[in-house]
């Protein structure tokens, strides 16, 4: 056997044979689920419409979801203002009327997305500050205190609304949104849903025997009963919430009539009984909200500055909700100029709310955005028809009060699902970034955590001390800080935008998803944008706030 010479040291070793994976084992060869600009599960997108019967039914469901948030907020603040049941009924009517008007305006000349504008919990801090200010003054009766308090809220809303008008129609918000990337949008949209957790299961727990069955049935009927039959799947997907609200509401009425809540604490009665809202007996048959219905506004510089922070926070929350709505409704991400005109129109809506005497300002409703994902119908027409329900039932008070008497734990159970859907949509934006970049993971993780943790600290501090962590002699300054840092989306946007635009921003453009993102944000950069965001008539050629690139 002959001797073989070894290969020279410089010769390269032959490459190992490449193993070709087959079928589902092909994990490392590329993306199994490639990124999608638009979700393909949507059955009706922004400009496509189901039948009129479906439109009417889904519009009524959006009305009910809107009503639940309004009743929750009114039940919280009106008694603290000194208002009675009749005052609460009128506040609910005013909220509902303005929600219908502002939603119609937003879908016509705002973002044109299927988003509902509804009373915002972001205004709680400045409203509570005004309530505290007027509680220390002497009045002949509580109703007089209520009137003075809501007139002061009116004045603060009117003055502060000009901030959103300025930053919106002055294109400031559009220019600021140029600093957004998918890395920023992920935590902002996530906490738009997660930040409302206290209005979910904590409210369900106030009447577990009603709220928990509603939550379980919603998940089981909506998801696990799919596939039984094609027609059954369609009906449960579209209308199961309407059916379940009726069933659980009837169950609550049976428990009330049978005496199950006769010997329980008053707090349990308020949340479980169907006859403890007193709205049916207090609401007028017909009452049209009109300007300055509570009297002339009371203007105060300190109240106005505090309310400006809430108005700014509402713009942040609306921006996150609009991105979620666009994704769930099958639209492209809203461009900068659309976000700017949306915030400007939101300022006009808050001005109208101050004139008509609403007890808080408005923002894009997160619950209604989640409902788009749950029903798979993102039609703009559905939302516009829902405004007819809002305005009609705000004028015909007795009928509106009938639906407003649904126990709040039923709504809270639905919100557990709807808020969760919105939070999950925020996560979906991460597909357009480099998921393996430690820089991106660091920014998203820190923004998410601080977006939830900082507001929790501010809320717990306020609950224990009776005031926010910011406590100085300048009440307006306290309201600004306490309002901004009590908002999860505001904190997440501040942290994410700052970090994403300062940590190796120039070197990591592709990791941040800019190549995908920028065409959607530029005016005229993506042809599909006009399909969803153009005006019904060609107004943009002469409107100055659409002219910047």
């Amino acid at each position: 056997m002959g001797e073989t010479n070894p290969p020279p040291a410089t010769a390269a070793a032959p490459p190992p044979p490449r193993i070709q994976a087959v079928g589902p084992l092909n994990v490392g060869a590329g993306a199994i689920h490639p990124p999608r600009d638009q979700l393909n599960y949507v059955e009706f997108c922004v400009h496509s419409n189901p039948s009129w019967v479906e439109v009417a039914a889904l519009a009524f469901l959006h009305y009910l979801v809107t009503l639940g948030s309004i009743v929750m907020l009114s039940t919280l603040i009106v008694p603290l203002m000194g208002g009675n049941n009749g005052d609460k009924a009128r506040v609910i009517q005013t909220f509902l009327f303005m929600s219908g008007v502002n939603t119609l305006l937003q879908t016509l000349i705002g973002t044109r997305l299927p988003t509902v504008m509804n009373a915002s919990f972001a205004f709680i801090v400045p409203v509570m500050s005004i309530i505290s200010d007027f509680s220390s003054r002497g009045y002949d009766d509580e109703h007089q205190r209520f009137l003075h308090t809501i007139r002061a809220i009116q004045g603060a809303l009117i003055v502060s609304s000009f901030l959103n008008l300025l930053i919106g129609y002055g294109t400031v918000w559009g220019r600021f949104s140029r600093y957004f990337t998918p890395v920023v949008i992920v935590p902002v949209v996530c906490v738009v849903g997660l930040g409302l957790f206290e209005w979910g299961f904590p409210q369900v727990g106030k009447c577990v025997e009603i709220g928990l069955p509603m939550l379980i049935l919603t998940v089981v009927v909506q998801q696990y009963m799919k596939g039984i039959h094609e027609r059954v799947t369609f009906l449960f997907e579209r209308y199961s919430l309407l059916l379940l609200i009726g069933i659980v509401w009837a169950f609550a009425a049976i428990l009330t009539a049978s005496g199950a809540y006769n010997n329980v604490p008053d707090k349990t009665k308020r949340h479980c009984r169907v006859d403890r809202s007193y709205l049916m007996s207090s609401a007028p048959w017909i009452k049209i909200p009109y300007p300055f219905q509570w009297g002339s506004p009371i203007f105060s510089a300190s109240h106005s500055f505090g309310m400006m922070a809430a108005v700014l926070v509402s713009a942040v929350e609306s921006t996150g909700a609009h991105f979620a709505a666009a994704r769930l409704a099958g639209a492209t991400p809203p461009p900068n100029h659309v976000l700017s005109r949306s915030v400007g129109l939101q300022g006009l809506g808050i001005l109208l709310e101050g004139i008509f005497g609403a007890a808080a300002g408005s923002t894009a409703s997160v619950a209604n955005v989640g409902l788009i994902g749950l029903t798979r119908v993102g039609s703009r027409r559905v939302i516009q028809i829902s405004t007819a329900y809002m305005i009609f039932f705000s004028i015909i008070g007795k009928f509106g009060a009938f639906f407003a008497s649904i126990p709040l734990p039923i709504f809270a159970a639905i919100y557990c699902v709807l808020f969760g859907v919105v939070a999950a949509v925020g996560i979906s934006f991460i597909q357009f970034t480099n998921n393996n970049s430690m820089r991106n993971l660091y920014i998203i993780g820190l923004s998410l955590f601080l977006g939830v943790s900082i507001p929790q600290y501010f809320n717990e501090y306020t609950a224990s001390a009776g005031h926010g962590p910011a406590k100085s002699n300048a009440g307006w300054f306290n309201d600004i800080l306490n309002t901004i840092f009590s908002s999860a989306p505001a904190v997440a946007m501040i942290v994410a935008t700052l970090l994403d635009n300062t940590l190796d921003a120039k070197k990591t453009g592709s990791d941040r998803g800019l190549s995908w993102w920028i065409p959607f944000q530029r005016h005229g950069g993506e042809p599909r944008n006009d399909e969803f965001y153009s005006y019904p008539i060609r107004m943009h050629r002469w409107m100055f706030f659409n002219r910047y690139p």
Side-chain angles (χ1 to χ4, degrees):
M1 186 172 182
E3 185 175 338
T4 305
N5 294 327
T10 57
R18 183 174 181 180
I19 301 174
Q20 293 289 343
V22 181
L25 298 178
N26 192 15
V27 175
I32 299 177
H33 305 290
R36 291 185 179 272
D37 295 342
Q38 297 163 286
L39 294 178
N40 61 350
Y41 85 107
V42 181
E43 293 195 8
F44 296 95
C45 67
V46 175
H47 49 64
S48 58
N49 304 305
S51 67
W52 281 105
V53 174
E54 291 182 64
V55 167
L58 291 172
F60 184 71
L61 182 56
H62 275 278
Y63 156 73
L64 288 180
V65 170
T66 303
L67 181 63
S69 300
I70 289 175
V71 174
M72 278 187 179
L73 183 59
S74 302
T75 302
L76 173 66
I77 63 175
V78 171
L80 298 177
M81 295 165 64
N84 53 33
N85 294 320
D87 296 326
K88 184 172 77 170
R90 288 186 63 189
V91 167
I92 292 173
Q93 285 180 277
T94 305
F95 271 140
L96 200 56
F97 181 82
M98 294 312 306
S99 182
V101 171
N102 289 336
T103 300
L104 189 59
L105 289 174
Q106 196 68 241
T107 56
L108 287 175
I109 58 174
T111 60
R112 293 189 47 78
L113 287 169
T115 48
V116 171
M117 303 303 293
N118 198 8
S120 173
F121 292 97
F123 290 83
I124 287 180
V125 173
V127 167
M128 289 295 186
S129 179
I130 295 173
I131 291 172
S132 176
D133 187 14
F134 280 86
S135 295
S136 60
R137 307 180 186 183
Y139 295 97
D140 296 335
D141 54 46
E142 285 291 273
H143 184 67
Q144 287 297 317
R145 181 169 73 88
F146 167 80
L147 290 177
H148 280 78
T149 303
I150 198 166
R151 287 165 57 198
I153 295 173
Q154 276 186 264
L157 285 174
I158 290 173
V159 174
S160 62
S161 66
F162 287 95
L163 176 62
N164 273 14
L165 283 166
L166 178 63
I167 66 175
Y169 290 134
T171 72
V172 176
W173 192 257
R175 296 177 190 278
F176 170 66
S177 64
R178 291 177 177 179
Y179 295 100
F180 298 165
T181 68
V183 177
V184 176
I185 295 302
V186 169
V188 170
V189 176
C190 275
V191 298
V192 161
L194 295 178
L196 295 168
F197 67 90
E198 61 181 303
W199 305 105
F201 201 83
Q203 302 300 318
V204 171
K206 292 180 178 179
C207 189
V208 178
E209 59 269 32
I210 293 176
L212 192 58
M214 183 67 195
L215 176 58
I216 294 173
L217 286 172
T218 299
V219 176
V220 171
V221 174
Q222 247 270 338
Q223 301 299 323
Y224 285 94
M225 296 188 71
K226 287 182 178 180
I228 296 177
H229 187 273
E230 184 178 347
R231 187 63 180 173
V232 173
T233 299
F234 168 79
L235 291 174
F236 281 168
E237 197 168 59
R238 291 281 198 280
Y239 311 118
S240 60
L241 284 184
L242 280 174
L243 175 65
L244 293 176
I245 288 172
I247 291 174
V248 179
W249 189 12
F251 175 64
I254 293 172
L255 291 179
T256 302
S258 65
Y261 300 118
N262 289 346
N263 300 313
V264 296
D266 289 338
K267 184 177 180 180
T268 304
K269 291 180 180 179
R270 287 198 305 270
H271 291 95
C272 296
R273 295 182 67 97
V274 297
D275 57 357
R276 280 296 185 270
S277 66
Y278 301 108
L279 293 175
M280 284 291 294
S281 58
S282 304
W285 275 105
I286 297 178
K287 184 71 175 181
I288 302 176
Y290 57 91
F292 309 117
Q293 58 182 321
W294 309 108
S296 58
I298 298 175
F299 296 99
S300 167
S302 62
H303 296 160
S304 299
F305 279 115
M307 195 67 77
M308 283 182 185
V311 167
L312 188 61
V313 165
S314 71
V316 174
E317 294 179 349
S318 291
T319 298
H322 290 322
F323 275 105
R327 185 128 184 89
L328 287 171
T332 56
N336 298 333
H337 69 279
V338 171
L339 295 175
S340 202
R341 79 189 187 201
S342 166
V343 170
L345 189 62
Q346 187 175 339
L348 177 62
I350 293 173
L351 174 62
L352 292 175
E353 286 164 341
I355 292 174
F356 276 81
S362 61
T363 189
S365 171
V366 179
N368 292 87
V369 172
L371 189 58
I372 293 173
L374 211 61
T375 60
R376 299 171 62 181
V377 177
S379 170
R380 185 190 296 125
R381 178 180 293 175
V382 169
I383 302 301
Q384 290 173 337
I385 296 301
S386 74
T387 64
Y389 287 113
M390 297 174 198
I391 295 174
F392 175 78
F393 286 117
S394 68
I395 295 174
I396 312 299
K398 292 293 185 184
F399 288 102
F402 174 71
F403 295 109
S405 63
I406 298 174
L408 293 181
I410 294 178
F411 289 114
I414 299 172
Y415 294 157
C416 289
V417 177
L418 301 183
F419 294 160
V421 169
V422 174
V425 169
I427 298 174
S428 73
F429 281 94
I430 201 173
Q431 66 184 304
F432 306 113
T433 70
N434 181 1
N435 298 339
N436 297 314
S437 167
M438 192 60 208
R439 171 198 178 274
N440 290 353
L441 297 177
Y442 178 88
I443 294 172
I444 292 172
L446 184 60
S447 303
L448 278 172
F449 185 81
L450 293 182
V452 175
S453 185
I454 291 177
Q456 181 67 9
Y457 164 72
F458 270 72
N459 292 334
E460 288 184 357
Y461 192 104
T462 303
S464 61
H467 58 80
K471 181 66 174 176
S472 66
N473 293 329
W476 60 271
F477 180 75
N478 301 334
D479 289 343
I480 290 175
L481 290 184
N482 291 330
T483 300
I484 292 175
F485 290 103
S486 294
S487 167
V491 174
M493 182 174 285
I494 292 170
V495 176
T497 304
L498 178 64
L499 293 179
D500 187 48
N501 288 277
T502 55
L503 289 180
D504 295 327
K506 294 183 178 179
K507 300 177 182 178
T508 56
S510 60
D511 286 351
R512 299 164 67 197
L514 293 182
S515 58
W516 172 82
W517 182 258
I518 289 178
F520 291 108
Q521 298 308 301
R522 286 179 176 169
H523 193 269
E526 170 56 55
R528 286 176 294 172
N529 283 348
D530 287 339
E531 181 182 349
F532 305 105
Y533 302 108
S534 60
Y535 285 119
I537 57 176
R538 293 295 179 182
M539 303 165 60
H540 62 279
R541 294 179 181 175
W542 51 268
M543 298 185 87
F544 70 94
F545 53 85
N546 273 334
R547 291 183 179 176
Y548 66 90

